[in-house]
Each structure stands twice: as C-alpha cells, then as structure tokens.
C-alpha cells in the first residue's frame, strides 16, 4: 500500500526519481493496471459530471427516446467492456510505437519498461476527477484542468523515455513526438499528391 502511495506521489511530483524507480522495479502488469484504472475512473467521472439528463437529451437528437434510454442503462457495462477489451490493445500498441521511435534514435532500453512507465504516465488524469464530478456546475474549468492533465501526462511520458533509454530530455521529447510528426508529414504528402493529381483534372473540367 505504502509502495503505491510512494509511486503515486513521486511519479507525479518528483518524476525524475519516481518514474526512474517504477520502470525499474514495477512490472508491465502494474503499469497496465494503473492505465486501465485511471481510464475507467476518468470515463465514469466524465459521464457522471455531464449529468444523465443532459446525456439523455443529447442522445435523443440522434435516436428515439426508447433506444436512448436503453443505451443509457447499458452504458456502464459497455464502458467497462470497452476499457477491458480495447484499452489494453491501445496501451501495448502505443508502447510498441514509442519503443520503435526510441530505437530509431539510438535507444537501447526495454519495451516492457516503456509500457510500465506509460501506465504511470496516466496518473495526472486522476486529478481531473474532482473537477469532473462538478462539471455540471463549473463547465468552464474542466477543459482547463483536462489540458493541464494532458500536458502533465506528456511530460511524465517523456520522462519515461528519458529513464528507460538514457536519452537527454530533448531527445526523449523528440522520440515521443516522432510518431505524430511522421503521421502529419505522411498526411501532408498524401494531400499534396492528391492535389497534384486532381488539379489538372479540375482545370480541364472547369476551365477559367
């Protein structure tokens, strides 16, 4: 129990020490448990904070009231199933992607340690829970707190790559954002290619 409290506190507020410890001493199953627990709590809190009446009203815009009511009743079970089935897949895929990008930059750490650290990197989202519960009354503050939790989480995950692979923090940040940069570049190239193909056709179809 006290080990978890130490891990929680140090990972959040002393990441250079806490993250370095958990990637060495905790297993990937600890990381997965933290990841799933935080995701489930944050999801439930978001739903409760929104308010069942507002959620029901929103659903009735896309379906009849009977189906909306049935979906509302089934939501807790559906949410639990999605977390159990899909989140572990997302967890390991993201860890594998970060491990690959780190190896491209010369990293030699273990992928399982990266996965362990990613789980603890989700801990800042727990701090959104109290604000999520009162979101119905303070809508303006929840996006700000969520943004702060997201940035904090990214910082912790960069720290994970720093601890596992021995990178400088600048290189660890590059390894973390490299997949997103590659994706953006690929989309940009795809759009340029599509544009180069379509523009002559459009010019013929709609001559000036």
């Amino acid at each position: 129990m006290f080990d978890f409290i130490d891990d929680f506190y140090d990972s959040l507020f002393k990441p250079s020490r806490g993250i370095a410890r958990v990637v060495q001493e905790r297993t990937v199953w600890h990381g997965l448990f933290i990841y799933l627990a935080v995701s489930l709590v944050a999801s439930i809190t978001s739903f409760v904070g929104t308010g069942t009446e507002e959620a029901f009203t929103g659903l009735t815009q896309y379906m009849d009231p009977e189906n909306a009511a049935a979906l509302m009743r089934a939501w807790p079970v559906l949410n639990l199933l999605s977390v159990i089935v899909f989140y572990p897949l997302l967890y390991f895929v993201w860890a594998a992607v970060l491990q690959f990008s780190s190896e491209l930059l010369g990293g030699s750490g273990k992928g399982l340690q990266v996965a362990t650290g990613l789980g603890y990197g989700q801990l800042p989202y727990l701090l959104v829970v109290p604000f999520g519960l009162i979101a119905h009354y303070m809508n303006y503050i929840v996006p700000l707190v969520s943004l702060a939790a997201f940035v904090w989480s990214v910082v912790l995950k960069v720290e994970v790559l720093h601890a596992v692979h021995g990178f400088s923090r600048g290189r660890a940040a590059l390894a973390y954002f490299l997949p997103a940069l590659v994706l953006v570049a690929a989309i940009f190239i795809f759009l340029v290619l599509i544009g180069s193909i379509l523009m002559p056709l459009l010019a013929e179809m709609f001559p000036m």
Side-chain angles (χ1 to χ4, degrees):
M1 178 64 181
F2 291 107
D3 287 342
F4 173 76
I5 294 174
D6 288 341
D7 290 344
F8 177 85
Y9 181 83
D10 288 345
S11 294
L12 284 175
F13 303 108
K14 300 178 181 178
S16 59
R17 182 173 71 183
I19 294 296
R21 183 176 69 246
V22 299
V23 298
Q24 293 293 333
E25 299 181 5
R26 304 295 176 251
T27 70
V28 67
W29 304 116
H30 288 99
L32 178 59
F33 175 79
I34 296 292
Y35 184 85
L36 295 179
V38 172
S39 299
L40 184 61
V41 170
S43 179
I44 292 175
T45 302
S46 175
F47 180 78
V48 172
T50 302
T52 55
E53 292 185 5
E54 292 183 16
F56 178 78
T57 302
L59 287 174
T60 54
Q61 297 178 5
Y62 306 98
M63 60 182 69
D64 61 76
E66 291 184 2
N67 290 333
L71 183 59
M72 291 287 294
R73 290 192 296 269
W75 181 88
V77 176
L78 294 175
N79 184 64
L80 179 61
L81 288 176
S82 68
V83 170
I84 293 174
V85 174
F86 296 109
Y87 279 45
L89 178 62
L90 178 64
Y91 172 76
F92 286 111
V93 167
W94 185 227
V97 169
L98 290 181
Q99 177 66 13
F100 179 69
S101 67
S102 297
E103 290 181 356
L104 288 178
L105 296 177
S108 58
K110 297 179 180 179
L112 289 179
Q113 290 180 325
V114 172
T116 301
L118 286 183
Y120 284 85
Q122 291 292 101
L123 286 174
Y125 288 104
L126 283 180
L127 303 181
V128 182
V129 170
F131 297 96
L133 292 174
I134 58 174
H136 185 65
Y137 308 99
M138 302 177 64
N139 286 329
Y140 63 91
I141 199 172
V142 174
L144 297 177
V145 176
S146 298
L147 177 61
F150 171 76
V151 173
W152 195 349
S153 178
V154 169
V155 170
L156 294 186
K157 290 166 185 174
V158 169
E159 188 67 31
V160 168
L161 299 182
H162 165 71
V164 173
H165 293 286
F167 288 156
S168 67
R169 287 180 174 83
R171 179 174 287 192
L174 177 59
Y176 183 83
F177 290 109
L178 184 60
L181 294 175
V182 170
L183 179 61
V184 170
I187 293 174
F188 176 76
I189 293 172
F190 175 76
L191 293 176
V192 170
L193 291 175
I194 292 296
S196 65
I197 294 172
L198 292 180
M199 287 302 292
L201 296 176
L202 293 175
E204 291 181 7
M205 295 173 62
F206 305 100
M208 298 296 293

